[in-house]
Amino acid sequence: MEYQHDVEINGEGKYLNICKHNGLCKKEKDSKDDTDSNKLSHIEKAYTTILGELGEDVDREGLLRTPLRAAKAMQFFTKGYKETTQDILNDAIFDENHDEMVIVKDIDLFSLCEHHLVPFFGKAHIAYLPNKKVVGLSKLARIVEIYSRRLQVQERLTKQIASAISEALEPAGVAVVIEAAHMCMVMRGVQKINASTVTSVMLGTFQDNPTTRKEFLELTLRK
């Protein structure tokens, strides 16, 4: 196998890995595809078993492809396990002499409660105080997507989003608020359809400075 590299100068440039012999890259891709196919098959069989144990006829027309559809849906709902913040941020952090608050609010999120495997959904509000570095605004929404597309509890999800932004940008502060409705409280259990859950994480200046925290909350939660 032959490799071709771009020279990296002052931390810049690209690294190219080009397979020339033995089709090794294709074999690695085929191996990954085979693994994903096997996982999908196992999940499909598990759903077939669940439907059968619930008393359903898994051979009736309406359910013939339901286990496969459910397996594919579950893989999509949890696709965040295969993604990292490094994957999406490596070319989207820019040097910028800006130190005022940056807020992206009302970011839609959908996740699965890890206790009952039913959805919770709502909105995330994010702010950070740049420390000579800014990030493409859409990447903040992508970070929310990465961590929400996993089995979650809202408290951990809020902290993971804040920590990921803090580690990537090293800002003066990060604030994250999530407002969400949980189907485990609506469809089962206490069945309170109007209940919502609000969680917050404040790091750096947002934690230490009440004025900064108040400004963020007023701007974010204003209706």
Side-chain angles (χ1 to χ4, degrees):
M1 181 173 62
E2 180 179 327
Y3 293 94
Q4 177 180 325
H5 305 274
D6 277 355
V7 177
E8 189 164 326
I9 302 174
N10 296 327
E12 297 180 352
K14 297 180 180 178
Y15 176 86
L16 297 179
N17 177 355
I18 301 177
C19 303
K20 293 293 182 78
H21 302 299
N22 302 324
L24 185 55
C25 285
K26 184 177 186 302
K27 289 181 180 178
E28 291 175 349
K29 181 180 183 300
D30 289 344
S31 177
K32 181 179 181 300
D33 290 343
D34 289 343
T35 300
D36 290 344
S37 179
N38 288 336
K39 289 180 179 179
L40 181 65
S41 178
H42 290 319
I43 299 171
E44 178 185 2
K45 290 176 182 177
Y47 274 115
T48 300
T49 299
I50 290 171
L51 290 172
E53 292 300 320
L54 290 174
E56 272 289 358
D57 176 9
V58 296
D59 293 320
R60 68 180 176 86
E61 182 180 9
L63 292 180
L64 283 177
R65 292 181 56 81
T66 296
L68 177 60
R69 295 189 190 101
K72 290 180 176 179
M74 183 58 73
Q75 286 189 328
F76 179 80
F77 296 153
T78 59
K79 67 186 180 72
Y81 288 121
K82 296 182 179 180
E83 301 171 332
T84 68
T85 54
Q86 291 79 10
D87 293 336
I88 66 167
L89 294 181
N90 58 2
D91 61 349
I93 298 176
F94 310 100
D95 294 328
E96 188 67 42
N97 187 25
H98 182 77
D99 58 6
E100 297 297 327
M101 191 182 306
V102 178
I103 299 176
V104 179
K105 57 185 290 187
D106 294 329
I107 302 170
D108 292 323
L109 71 85
F110 305 87
S111 192
L112 287 180
C113 165
E114 67 180 30
H115 300 142
H116 301 98
L117 299 185
V118 294
F120 67 92
F121 58 91
K123 296 184 181 297
H125 315 294
I126 297 173
Y128 72 97
L129 289 168
N131 184 18
K132 309 303 181 183
K133 291 183 183 294
V134 297
V135 66
L137 297 178
S138 67
K139 302 304 182 181
L140 297 176
R142 290 288 301 277
I143 291 174
V144 173
E145 183 76 0
I146 286 174
Y147 289 103
S148 62
R149 293 299 185 179
R150 303 178 181 186
L151 302 184
Q152 280 287 9
V153 296
Q154 185 174 327
E155 297 88 340
R156 182 173 68 238
L157 173 60
T158 312
K159 188 169 186 177
Q160 286 178 333
I161 293 169
S163 296
I165 296 169
S166 182
E167 291 171 9
L169 297 180
E170 299 182 340
V174 178
V176 178
V177 170
I178 292 178
E179 304 173 273
H182 290 248
M183 290 300 98
C184 59
M185 290 182 63
V186 175
M187 299 173 64
R188 56 164 299 283
V190 294
Q191 299 182 61
K192 302 301 182 184
I193 63 174
N194 294 314
S196 64
T197 301
V198 180
T199 51
S200 69
V201 170
M202 307 287 168
L203 302 177
T205 303
F206 288 100
Q207 183 179 60
D208 300 334
N209 189 322
T211 302
T212 304
R213 182 166 62 250
K214 180 181 179 182
E215 179 185 357
F216 163 68
L217 292 173
E218 287 180 346
L219 290 172
T220 299
L221 302 180
R222 179 188 299 162
K223 300 300 183 182

